Amino acid sequence: MAGRKKPLVVITRKLPDAIETRMRELFDARLNVEDVAMTQPALVAAVREADVLVPTVTDKIDAALIAQAGPNLKLIANFGNGVDNIDVAAAAAKGIVVTNTPNVLTEDTADMTMALMLAVPRRLTEGAAVLKGDGKWGGWSPTWMLGHRIWGKRLGIVGMGRIGTAVARRAKAFGLSIHYHNRQRVAPATEDALEATYWESLDQMLARMDIISVNCPSTPATFHLLSARRLALLQPSAYLVNTARGDIIDEDALVKMLETGKLAGAGLDVFEHEPAVSPKLLKLAAKGKVLILPHMGSATIEGRVDMGEKVIINIRTFFDGHRPPDRVLPSRV
């Protein structure tokens, strides 16, 4: 881009130093060094002035905001795998291209899913809390702090995309039987390698599984996909793990099931009204009924750097006059 005016790139949150340094080298990059979420007025000012906006999952880039975009804004390069925070159709109608950062968080998110899948049945946080408490540990006992093994259990994966498949690979190595529900059946070779069973009916799968892992994207079609009715299909001995998006599950219904013992436990890295966390969930976590994490599924240095590099590639490709490799079309959302 030598000899040309550098595009003004507004980045809404603090990114890894290596990425911010490269952004400054390549673009007229406006950083958020304080890492405080931008207010709505600040976002309005950004879209009116910027050539490129680099938002994150916590920024609401809706139709009302996009309508106020200035004539220079031509690209919204999302720092994130999904685009549920962006009204892609509204952007397209205004001639603004939207990109994301797919395929770089698969392994990190699958690792965290597997961690929750192990931690909840084996009561890891409850055990750790005993050693942090004021009381003294009385020592090993044959019947104390008993959990459940996951080897030999049936795992039902809701959403067999890249992350769901990566979870399945890990789970198979731990001796779980792999089952899945997806909009489309995966390739026969993948099914064979994972010894996976496909369920066309989500209801039927939910009723038969020991552990459910939610790994589908958040879309209008998946909002409350695990509704109160569907959650009621789960066995009382089952566990539920969600590292996708909070609004895929009816959180109020889930809380009631955990409170009444109609579900053995849950591991949640995401919440329906994030960043707000239900006080009832916090109480359940204190009692060891649920393990909750503050959206850490993709939180690795390597993953964040990979995401930033994809953002840079999308911006450079766009301003070189080519189609960005990770463009998101309204028809694909």
Side-chain angles (χ1 to χ4, degrees):
M1 286 184 276
R4 285 187 286 167
K5 179 180 177 293
K6 292 181 178 180
L8 174 59
V9 177
V10 177
I11 304 158
T12 66
R13 296 299 294 266
K14 176 81 176 71
L15 302 184
D17 286 347
I19 297 302
E20 289 187 337
T21 300
R22 190 62 177 145
M23 290 264 197
R24 292 282 291 172
E25 291 171 349
L26 294 170
F27 317 122
D28 179 9
R30 187 174 298 170
L31 309 179
N32 183 347
V33 293
E34 300 299 327
D35 198 25
V36 177
M38 293 179 73
T39 62
Q40 201 65 14
L43 283 171
V44 170
V47 299
R48 285 176 175 172
E49 184 180 7
D51 298 302
V52 181
L53 181 72
V54 179
T56 68
V57 65
T58 60
D59 300 305
K60 186 178 180 181
I61 315 301
D62 57 14
L65 178 66
I66 291 169
Q68 300 180 72
N72 293 333
L73 185 64
K74 298 300 180 185
L75 176 64
I76 299 173
N78 199 41
F79 185 87
N81 182 61
V83 288
D84 46 299
N85 58 315
I86 301 171
D87 191 324
V88 179
K94 201 172 175 66
I96 301 170
V97 172
V98 176
T99 62
N100 63 342
T101 60
N103 310 333
V104 295
L105 304 178
T106 299
E107 304 304 328
D108 297 330
T109 307
D111 284 346
M112 186 61 80
T113 304
M114 199 67 218
L116 288 171
M117 208 180 299
L118 287 163
V120 176
R122 294 302 304 272
R123 304 176 67 181
L124 298 191
T125 56
E126 293 174 78
V130 170
L131 299 180
K132 293 178 182 177
D134 296 331
K136 291 184 178 180
W137 176 43
W140 182 87
S141 167
T143 58
W144 184 73
M145 199 60 76
L146 297 182
H148 290 276
R149 68 167 58 133
I150 66 169
W151 183 90
K153 297 297 192 295
R154 294 185 178 91
L155 169 65
I157 297 174
V158 181
M160 196 69 155
R162 292 183 180 90
I163 294 174
T165 302
V167 170
R169 289 200 310 269
R170 287 160 173 75
K172 183 176 183 294
F174 275 85
L176 284 99
S177 173
I178 308 302
H179 299 251
Y180 74 97
H181 169 80
N182 205 44
R183 286 185 302 172
Q184 296 179 341
R185 195 164 183 168
V186 301
T190 302
E191 261 191 17
D192 292 343
L194 297 171
E195 299 179 45
T197 301
Y198 172 65
W199 292 83
E200 186 175 358
S201 167
L202 176 58
D203 288 8
Q204 290 183 16
M205 184 184 80
L206 293 174
R208 292 165 171 82
M209 297 297 111
D210 301 300
I211 304 171
I212 294 294
S213 177
V214 180
N215 300 109
C216 60
S218 174
T219 68
T222 61
F223 177 78
H224 281 192
L225 180 67
L226 294 192
S227 60
R229 180 189 67 79
R230 284 199 168 117
L231 288 171
L233 298 173
L234 296 172
Q235 301 176 50
S237 58
Y239 296 91
L240 177 65
V241 172
N242 186 12
T243 56
R245 287 289 187 269
D247 62 7
I248 297 170
I249 298 175
D250 183 334
E251 196 170 274
D252 288 340
L254 175 62
V255 166
K256 289 178 183 177
M257 290 186 67
L258 290 166
E259 287 176 334
T260 57
K262 294 180 180 178
L263 194 64
L268 307 174
D269 186 46
V270 289
F271 309 97
E272 185 169 353
H273 305 292
E274 202 170 310
V277 180
S278 164
K280 292 182 179 179
L281 273 179
L282 293 172
K283 289 181 181 178
L284 287 167
K287 295 177 181 178
K289 297 287 187 180
V290 60
L291 194 166
I292 55 177
L293 296 175
H295 205 144
M296 294 168 56
S298 62
T300 68
I301 294 172
E302 297 87 348
R304 295 290 187 254
V305 169
D306 287 345
M307 290 169 70
E309 288 176 347
K310 271 191 170 283
V311 170
I312 290 171
I313 289 170
N314 282 320
I315 297 172
R316 292 196 71 181
T317 305
F318 179 82
F319 282 97
D320 283 342
H322 303 292
R323 178 190 174 99
D326 302 310
R327 183 177 183 180
V328 179
L329 299 175
S331 60
R332 300 295 298 273
V333 177

